[in-house]
Amino acid sequence: MALVVPAATVTDACGPDPGFFCELVFDNTQNERLAEIIGWVVERPLRIILILLVAWIIKKIVHKVIERAVGRLVNQAETDTEEQLESASKLDFGARAAKAINRIQERQVRSSQRIETIAAVLKSLATALILAVAALLCLSELNIDLAPLIAGAGIAGLAVGFGAQSLVRDFLAGMFILIEDQFGVGDVVDVGDTSGTIEKVSLRTTTLRDVSGVVWTVPNGEIHRTANHSQLWSRAILDIGVSYDTDIDQASEIMKAVADELWRENNPDLTILEEPSVWGVQELGNDAVVIRLVVKTDPSEQWGVGRVLRARIKKAFDEAGIEIPFPQRTVWIRNESDNAEPRSPDSVGGRERPVGTGDDAAPAELPGDDGGHDGGGGGDE
């Protein structure tokens, strides 16, 4: 019997999913080899080019969306800056206003640079993701089995995901820190475990130096809360205690006068933004009446202003005869022999005596004392 060879079909020539050109050539020529060559030389390159073209269009669209989002952030930052510049221009002294304006402009430049950096990072990530997907589609057009590749990439991604959770968290937290401008280089912040002046901010870590000069490197993912002492303006709060027999109005007037004097000096290193205010009695303590003075200052200058004001207020109180009280206590020292009966402190021959810690306190010699007892001692055993 003669062997019957089945005729080639379009599936044999062009595969289970035949393309337009391959199928067209096969239908017209019934030539399997020619249709297969046309499929590889013409149709597959056209598909790859189409995939790359679509990927390029998607990349442009995504970049445009990122640019619009970044533009909104820049516009918001510019609006906030204009409001700050307007309020700074209303300051009483020209030098003070110029300093505030320069600081605000520097902050605007820093914020714009941060936003542009974040935009560049987002664009790079979007481009890498789009190109990776396009590359996989192109490989599939070349009849390369992607199942092992995708499975291997999935396993590797899972392993890396478990091992680099903290790294991914640090990068995401750093990105939001930069976008929201939570703090920047030169700010004095408290990040929970430590506080100090920011020296460097990156996507992964934040570097700051504390008051002792120690440099701390904190992963951004570990920063759960931030207290920024240098955001736009600061406030020096002084709680000054005076004795109960002091005239509260007089003490408040002296504190206000001292603060106003420093405010009018226009010291560039101790910039006070607004007229100081005495809020009044803050506390009725055991030893003193506490009066609160509040002073609005330039960022990070509240500590210097507070130190200067405390020294000047102390001198002004001394000149006015106003006492800044200190705690006074009475200490009872008991000194008994084993066989002696406890005696009253009022007894002449008693071994107990009050010792005050105030100015008029002085150890009194009692009968039988030879001066050999220790001032803070316990009983003779």
Side-chain angles (χ1 to χ4, degrees):
M1 296 179 60
L3 183 62
V4 178
V5 179
T9 63
V10 67
T11 302
D12 298 331
C14 304
D17 186 18
F20 174 76
F21 291 101
C22 182
E23 186 177 4
L24 179 64
V25 171
F26 182 81
D27 290 340
N28 291 316
T29 63
Q30 297 298 317
N31 190 325
E32 179 182 356
R33 179 62 59 185
L34 180 60
E36 185 177 356
I37 292 175
I38 293 296
W40 276 96
V41 174
V42 177
E43 190 162 359
R44 294 181 187 273
L46 287 178
R47 286 186 178 181
I48 292 175
I49 292 174
L50 181 61
I51 291 172
L52 296 178
L53 179 61
V54 172
W56 180 80
I57 294 174
I58 294 175
K59 181 178 74 71
K60 287 295 184 181
I61 294 174
V62 172
H63 284 193
K64 185 65 67 174
V65 172
I66 293 175
E67 289 175 357
R68 287 187 177 181
V70 170
R72 292 179 181 177
L73 293 175
V74 171
N75 293 335
Q76 182 63 38
E78 290 178 352
T79 302
D80 296 340
T81 301
E82 291 175 358
E83 295 177 356
Q84 296 165 13
L85 289 174
E86 183 178 356
S87 61
S89 62
K90 297 179 181 179
L91 294 176
D92 295 339
F93 301 100
R96 182 180 299 168
K99 181 180 178 181
I101 291 173
N102 290 334
R103 185 185 67 253
I104 294 172
Q105 291 176 343
E106 290 175 358
R107 192 175 188 87
Q108 179 190 16
V109 172
R110 186 183 73 184
S111 178
S112 300
Q113 291 175 347
R114 284 181 169 186
I115 293 174
E116 291 176 359
T117 301
I118 293 298
V121 172
L122 293 177
K123 287 181 180 179
S124 299
L125 292 176
T127 301
L129 180 62
I130 293 171
L131 290 180
V133 174
L136 292 177
L137 293 177
C138 292
L139 291 176
S140 66
E141 289 297 326
L142 299 176
N143 289 338
I144 297 177
D145 188 8
L146 299 180
L149 181 62
I150 294 176
I155 296 174
L158 187 63
V160 171
F162 277 112
Q165 290 183 29
S166 60
L167 184 63
V168 174
R169 181 183 59 184
D170 293 341
F171 272 97
L172 291 177
M175 188 173 299
F176 281 106
I177 287 174
L178 294 177
I179 290 176
E180 298 172 357
D181 196 18
Q182 298 177 11
F183 50 76
V185 176
D187 288 348
V188 180
V189 300
D190 181 351
V191 294
D193 294 334
T194 186
S195 60
T197 304
I198 298 294
E199 293 192 344
K200 181 181 178 182
V201 180
S202 65
L203 285 176
R204 195 181 72 84
T205 61
T206 295
T207 303
L208 66 157
R209 187 183 299 270
D210 65 15
V211 69
S212 301
V214 180
V215 176
W216 296 80
T217 300
V218 183
N220 292 328
E222 299 295 331
I223 302 177
H224 302 293
R225 63 174 182 84
T226 303
N228 193 335
H229 299 280
S230 309
Q231 197 77 287
L232 301 180
W233 55 271
S234 300
R235 178 176 284 164
I237 298 179
L238 284 75
D239 290 333
I240 308 296
V242 297
S243 60
Y244 270 87
D245 58 355
T246 301
D247 187 342
I248 301 299
D249 295 334
Q250 180 188 9
S252 301
E253 291 175 1
I254 293 175
M255 293 170 61
K256 181 70 163 58
V258 171
D260 288 345
E261 181 183 0
L262 181 61
W263 176 47
R264 295 189 181 93
E265 285 181 4
N266 194 22
N267 189 330
D269 296 327
L270 303 172
T271 304
I272 299 177
L273 300 178
E274 295 179 357
E275 181 180 356
S277 175
V278 176
W279 285 5
V281 176
Q282 179 67 20
E283 180 184 356
L284 298 176
N286 295 330
D287 306 294
V289 178
V290 179
I291 304 175
R292 172 161 290 186
L293 171 66
V294 178
V295 183
K296 188 175 181 179
T297 71
D298 260 358
S300 304
E301 293 187 7
Q302 64 269 33
W303 299 289
V305 170
R307 286 189 287 267
V308 172
L309 283 177
R310 289 185 184 94
R312 294 190 181 187
I313 290 173
K314 173 63 170 61
K315 293 180 181 178
F317 277 3
D318 290 342
E319 294 175 357
I322 297 177
E323 178 187 2
I324 298 178
F326 54 90
Q328 301 188 25
R329 297 291 183 269
T330 300
V331 179
W332 291 86
I333 301 176
R334 173 166 296 186
N335 216 345
E336 300 178 357
S337 61
D338 293 337
N339 300 325
E341 297 251 344
R343 297 185 180 181
S344 169
D346 297 329
S347 176
V348 175
R351 303 292 293 175
E352 297 180 352
R353 59 195 185 276
V355 179
T357 59
D359 294 337
D360 57 348
E365 271 191 53
L366 298 180
D369 280 349
D370 57 2
H373 295 296
D374 190 294
D380 293 336
E381 296 294 331

mmCIF file of all heavy atoms in Angstrom, residues 228-251:
data_model
loop_
_atom_site.group_PDB
_atom_site.id
_atom_site.type_symbol
_atom_site.label_atom_id
_atom_site.label_comp_id
_atom_site.label_asym_id
_atom_site.label_seq_id
_atom_site.Cartn_x
_atom_site.Cartn_y
_atom_site.Cartn_z
ATOM 1 N N ASN A 228 10.064 67.997 65.202
ATOM 2 C CA ASN A 228 10.968 68.935 64.539
ATOM 3 C C ASN A 228 10.933 70.262 65.286
ATOM 4 O O ASN A 228 9.905 70.933 65.335
ATOM 5 C CB ASN A 228 10.540 69.129 63.078
ATOM 6 C CG ASN A 228 11.616 69.825 62.256
ATOM 7 O OD1 ASN A 228 12.447 70.556 62.797
ATOM 8 N ND2 ASN A 228 11.611 69.597 60.958
ATOM 9 N N HIS A 229 12.080 70.646 65.854
ATOM 10 C CA HIS A 229 12.174 71.896 66.598
ATOM 11 C C HIS A 229 12.551 73.074 65.706
ATOM 12 O O HIS A 229 12.755 74.173 66.221
ATOM 13 C CB HIS A 229 13.214 71.773 67.713
ATOM 14 C CG HIS A 229 12.903 70.711 68.723
ATOM 15 N ND1 HIS A 229 12.002 70.893 69.746
ATOM 16 C CD2 HIS A 229 13.366 69.442 68.854
ATOM 17 C CE1 HIS A 229 11.933 69.797 70.480
ATOM 18 N NE2 HIS A 229 12.743 68.892 69.953
ATOM 19 N N SER A 230 12.664 72.860 64.404
ATOM 20 C CA SER A 230 13.176 73.900 63.506
ATOM 21 C C SER A 230 12.268 74.144 62.315
ATOM 22 O O SER A 230 12.725 74.577 61.266
ATOM 23 C CB SER A 230 14.573 73.495 63.004
ATOM 24 O OG SER A 230 15.415 73.148 64.058
ATOM 25 N N GLN A 231 10.998 73.874 62.444
ATOM 26 C CA GLN A 231 10.071 74.017 61.319
ATOM 27 C C GLN A 231 9.455 75.409 61.319
ATOM 28 O O GLN A 231 8.560 75.715 62.116
ATOM 29 C CB GLN A 231 8.977 72.953 61.419
ATOM 30 C CG GLN A 231 8.199 72.735 60.132
ATOM 31 C CD GLN A 231 8.960 71.917 59.112
ATOM 32 O OE1 GLN A 231 9.892 72.438 58.534
ATOM 33 N NE2 GLN A 231 8.588 70.675 58.903
ATOM 34 N N LEU A 232 9.948 76.281 60.472
ATOM 35 C CA LEU A 232 9.436 77.635 60.246
ATOM 36 C C LEU A 232 9.709 78.576 61.421
ATOM 37 O O LEU A 232 10.274 79.648 61.245
ATOM 38 C CB LEU A 232 7.936 77.606 59.937
ATOM 39 C CG LEU A 232 7.527 76.795 58.708
ATOM 40 C CD1 LEU A 232 6.027 76.846 58.502
ATOM 41 C CD2 LEU A 232 8.262 77.280 57.478
ATOM 42 N N TRP A 233 9.295 78.219 62.633
ATOM 43 C CA TRP A 233 9.558 79.056 63.798
ATOM 44 C C TRP A 233 9.561 78.186 65.047
ATOM 45 O O TRP A 233 9.129 77.036 65.022
ATOM 46 C CB TRP A 233 8.509 80.166 63.936
ATOM 47 C CG TRP A 233 7.087 79.699 63.986
ATOM 48 C CD1 TRP A 233 6.251 79.494 62.925
ATOM 49 C CD2 TRP A 233 6.339 79.344 65.162
ATOM 50 N NE1 TRP A 233 5.025 79.051 63.358
ATOM 51 C CE2 TRP A 233 5.035 78.957 64.737
ATOM 52 C CE3 TRP A 233 6.610 79.344 66.522
ATOM 53 C CZ2 TRP A 233 4.055 78.557 65.610
ATOM 54 C CZ3 TRP A 233 5.622 78.952 67.409
ATOM 55 C CH2 TRP A 233 4.359 78.564 66.950
ATOM 56 N N SER A 234 10.082 78.755 66.126
ATOM 57 C CA SER A 234 10.151 78.030 67.389
ATOM 58 C C SER A 234 9.608 78.918 68.506
ATOM 59 O O SER A 234 9.291 80.085 68.281
ATOM 60 C CB SER A 234 11.594 77.606 67.702
ATOM 61 O OG SER A 234 12.104 76.767 66.690
ATOM 62 N N ARG A 235 9.525 78.367 69.696
ATOM 63 C CA ARG A 235 8.978 79.114 70.824
ATOM 64 C C ARG A 235 9.765 78.777 72.088
ATOM 65 O O ARG A 235 9.905 77.604 72.454
ATOM 66 C CB ARG A 235 7.497 78.774 71.009
ATOM 67 C CG ARG A 235 6.848 79.470 72.206
ATOM 68 C CD ARG A 235 5.369 79.140 72.250
ATOM 69 N NE ARG A 235 4.627 79.898 71.242
ATOM 70 C CZ ARG A 235 3.392 79.592 70.842
ATOM 71 N NH1 ARG A 235 2.800 78.528 71.329
ATOM 72 N NH2 ARG A 235 2.784 80.334 69.936
ATOM 73 N N ALA A 236 10.268 79.816 72.724
ATOM 74 C CA ALA A 236 10.948 79.666 74.017
ATOM 75 C C ALA A 236 9.929 79.874 75.123
ATOM 76 O O ALA A 236 9.276 80.916 75.179
ATOM 77 C CB ALA A 236 12.093 80.675 74.133
ATOM 78 N N ILE A 237 9.788 78.886 75.987
ATOM 79 C CA ILE A 237 8.841 78.951 77.098
ATOM 80 C C ILE A 237 9.636 78.970 78.398
ATOM 81 O O ILE A 237 10.383 78.032 78.686
ATOM 82 C CB ILE A 237 7.873 77.761 77.072
ATOM 83 C CG1 ILE A 237 7.055 77.789 75.773
ATOM 84 C CG2 ILE A 237 6.954 77.780 78.279
ATOM 85 C CD1 ILE A 237 6.094 76.641 75.635
ATOM 86 N N LEU A 238 9.493 80.035 79.166
ATOM 87 C CA LEU A 238 10.219 80.201 80.416
ATOM 88 C C LEU A 238 9.228 80.198 81.574
ATOM 89 O O LEU A 238 8.345 81.058 81.643
ATOM 90 C CB LEU A 238 11.012 81.514 80.423
ATOM 91 C CG LEU A 238 12.301 81.562 79.598
ATOM 92 C CD1 LEU A 238 11.995 81.665 78.108
ATOM 93 C CD2 LEU A 238 13.172 82.726 80.031
ATOM 94 N N ASP A 239 9.357 79.238 82.453
ATOM 95 C CA ASP A 239 8.556 79.164 83.671
ATOM 96 C C ASP A 239 9.434 79.621 84.828
ATOM 97 O O ASP A 239 10.342 78.892 85.269
ATOM 98 C CB ASP A 239 8.044 77.743 83.896
ATOM 99 C CG ASP A 239 6.991 77.346 82.874
ATOM 100 O OD1 ASP A 239 6.307 78.238 82.351
ATOM 101 O OD2 ASP A 239 6.862 76.141 82.602
ATOM 102 N N ILE A 240 9.186 80.830 85.320
ATOM 103 C CA ILE A 240 9.993 81.444 86.361
ATOM 104 C C ILE A 240 9.215 81.405 87.674
ATOM 105 O O ILE A 240 8.064 81.865 87.740
ATOM 106 C CB ILE A 240 10.361 82.895 86.017
ATOM 107 C CG1 ILE A 240 10.979 82.962 84.612
ATOM 108 C CG2 ILE A 240 11.297 83.482 87.056
ATOM 109 C CD1 ILE A 240 12.284 82.224 84.479
ATOM 110 N N GLY A 241 9.831 80.870 88.739
ATOM 111 C CA GLY A 241 9.183 80.789 90.030
ATOM 112 C C GLY A 241 9.568 81.949 90.931
ATOM 113 O O GLY A 241 10.732 82.342 90.998
ATOM 114 N N VAL A 242 8.592 82.519 91.625
ATOM 115 C CA VAL A 242 8.824 83.581 92.605
ATOM 116 C C VAL A 242 8.161 83.165 93.919
ATOM 117 O O VAL A 242 7.280 82.303 93.942
ATOM 118 C CB VAL A 242 8.260 84.939 92.119
ATOM 119 C CG1 VAL A 242 8.980 85.389 90.855
ATOM 120 C CG2 VAL A 242 6.761 84.843 91.861
ATOM 121 N N SER A 243 8.585 83.797 95.003
ATOM 122 C CA SER A 243 8.035 83.444 96.310
ATOM 123 C C SER A 243 6.581 83.895 96.416
ATOM 124 O O SER A 243 6.117 84.769 95.666
ATOM 125 C CB SER A 243 8.881 84.081 97.411
ATOM 126 O OG SER A 243 8.879 85.492 97.272
ATOM 127 N N TYR A 244 5.871 83.320 97.379
ATOM 128 C CA TYR A 244 4.450 83.588 97.522
ATOM 129 C C TYR A 244 4.152 85.012 97.977
ATOM 130 O O TYR A 244 3.044 85.508 97.755
ATOM 131 C CB TYR A 244 3.831 82.581 98.501
ATOM 132 C CG TYR A 244 3.336 81.339 97.812
ATOM 133 C CD1 TYR A 244 4.188 80.261 97.589
ATOM 134 C CD2 TYR A 244 2.032 81.238 97.358
ATOM 135 C CE1 TYR A 244 3.743 79.115 96.949
ATOM 136 C CE2 TYR A 244 1.576 80.103 96.720
ATOM 137 C CZ TYR A 244 2.429 79.039 96.515
ATOM 138 O OH TYR A 244 1.987 77.909 95.858
ATOM 139 N N ASP A 245 5.115 85.677 98.625
ATOM 140 C CA ASP A 245 4.863 87.046 99.066
ATOM 141 C C ASP A 245 5.248 88.085 98.017
ATOM 142 O O ASP A 245 5.256 89.281 98.291
ATOM 143 C CB ASP A 245 5.615 87.336 100.365
ATOM 144 C CG ASP A 245 7.119 87.113 100.208
ATOM 145 O OD1 ASP A 245 7.535 86.651 99.121
ATOM 146 O OD2 ASP A 245 7.861 87.386 101.167
ATOM 147 N N THR A 246 5.556 87.631 96.793
ATOM 148 C CA THR A 246 5.940 88.533 95.708
ATOM 149 C C THR A 246 4.697 89.119 95.038
ATOM 150 O O THR A 246 3.679 88.434 94.884
ATOM 151 C CB THR A 246 6.789 87.789 94.653
ATOM 152 O OG1 THR A 246 7.956 87.270 95.281
ATOM 153 C CG2 THR A 246 7.205 88.710 93.523
ATOM 154 N N ASP A 247 4.796 90.373 94.627
ATOM 155 C CA ASP A 247 3.738 91.007 93.846
ATOM 156 C C ASP A 247 3.764 90.417 92.438
ATOM 157 O O ASP A 247 4.706 90.649 91.666
ATOM 158 C CB ASP A 247 3.956 92.516 93.805
ATOM 159 C CG ASP A 247 2.788 93.257 93.146
ATOM 160 O OD1 ASP A 247 1.999 92.600 92.435
ATOM 161 O OD2 ASP A 247 2.675 94.478 93.324
ATOM 162 N N ILE A 248 2.750 89.630 92.078
ATOM 163 C CA ILE A 248 2.734 88.928 90.796
ATOM 164 C C ILE A 248 2.750 89.918 89.632
ATOM 165 O O ILE A 248 3.445 89.716 88.629
ATOM 166 C CB ILE A 248 1.510 88.001 90.703
ATOM 167 C CG1 ILE A 248 1.531 86.974 91.839
ATOM 168 C CG2 ILE A 248 1.478 87.286 89.356
ATOM 169 C CD1 ILE A 248 2.729 86.084 91.830
ATOM 170 N N ASP A 249 2.015 91.000 89.740
ATOM 171 C CA ASP A 249 1.972 91.985 88.665
ATOM 172 C C ASP A 249 3.334 92.620 88.449
ATOM 173 O O ASP A 249 3.768 92.823 87.303
ATOM 174 C CB ASP A 249 0.932 93.058 88.976
ATOM 175 C CG ASP A 249 -0.483 92.497 89.000
ATOM 176 O OD1 ASP A 249 -0.696 91.464 88.313
ATOM 177 O OD2 ASP A 249 -1.354 93.071 89.678
ATOM 178 N N GLN A 250 4.030 92.937 89.532
ATOM 179 C CA GLN A 250 5.357 93.532 89.402
ATOM 180 C C GLN A 250 6.332 92.559 88.747
ATOM 181 O O GLN A 250 7.092 92.934 87.847
ATOM 182 C CB GLN A 250 5.886 93.947 90.776
ATOM 183 C CG GLN A 250 7.272 94.579 90.721
ATOM 184 C CD GLN A 250 7.864 94.799 92.102
ATOM 185 O OE1 GLN A 250 7.307 94.333 93.104
ATOM 186 N NE2 GLN A 250 8.982 95.507 92.167
ATOM 187 N N ALA A 251 6.315 91.312 89.203
ATOM 188 C CA ALA A 251 7.213 90.323 88.614
ATOM 189 C C ALA A 251 6.909 90.118 87.133
ATOM 190 O O ALA A 251 7.827 90.010 86.298
ATOM 191 C CB ALA A 251 7.093 88.999 89.373
#
